[in-house]
Amino acid sequence: MIFRRKEHICLFYNVENLFDIHDHPDKQDSDFTPTGRLQWTAQCYEQKLKAIRDVVRNLSGKWKSPAFMGLCEVENKQVVKTFSMNLHSRIGIIKSFTKRAEILEAS
């Protein structure tokens, strides 16, 4: 029998306030709306997603693509899903909550 050692790369990335443009009453996100203090528009959101995606792709060019990716400072689950769909990759994304972690699979 031949056993092959599998290596997996895990990536943790503080994406620093990855918010969509919608005001959610249960979040303190009113600054991240088109009429908020930061005037956070769909174009700003898309540029931020692209910048983060470019970083992940550049890292993947140097090493294998990560098997798992942890993201910090993401507004909600929908933003994580949008990011994973934009990445065009089959990366499992781990999103940490206060006392538990949830694993989301990219489609």
Side-chain angles (χ1 to χ4, degrees):
M1 293 182 85
I2 298 174
F3 294 98
R4 293 194 178 148
R5 182 178 167 180
K6 277 191 155 185
E7 293 183 2
H8 298 284
I9 293 176
C10 295
L11 174 66
F12 182 81
Y13 190 4
N14 182 343
V15 294
E16 298 180 8
N17 297 316
L18 181 56
F19 283 77
D20 63 21
I21 64 169
H22 306 290
D23 190 12
H24 302 279
D26 60 329
K27 303 278 184 193
Q28 295 179 347
D29 63 351
S30 60
D31 286 348
F32 290 91
T33 61
T35 58
R37 183 177 60 86
L38 300 173
Q39 297 180 343
W40 192 248
T41 62
Q43 183 179 3
C44 296
Y45 179 54
E46 291 299 323
Q47 286 176 344
K48 178 114 179 167
L49 286 172
K50 182 187 179 316
I52 296 166
R53 182 177 61 235
D54 289 349
V55 168
V56 173
R57 285 186 177 157
N58 286 335
L59 288 173
S60 296
K62 294 179 183 180
W63 302 292
K64 283 185 352 181
S65 292
F68 293 97
M69 186 172 170
L71 300 174
C72 181
E73 293 190 33
V74 178
E75 180 184 21
N76 58 40
K77 187 185 221 180
Q78 185 57 48
V79 173
V80 173
K81 285 183 180 182
T82 300
F83 172 72
S84 66
M85 288 187 300
N86 271 287
L87 195 56
H88 298 299
S89 180
R90 295 198 54 82
I91 296 175
I93 297 180
I94 301 172
K95 182 177 183 231
S96 294
F97 294 92
T98 307
K99 295 192 179 193
R100 64 185 173 91
E102 182 176 339
I103 298 175
L104 306 170
E105 276 191 42
S107 55

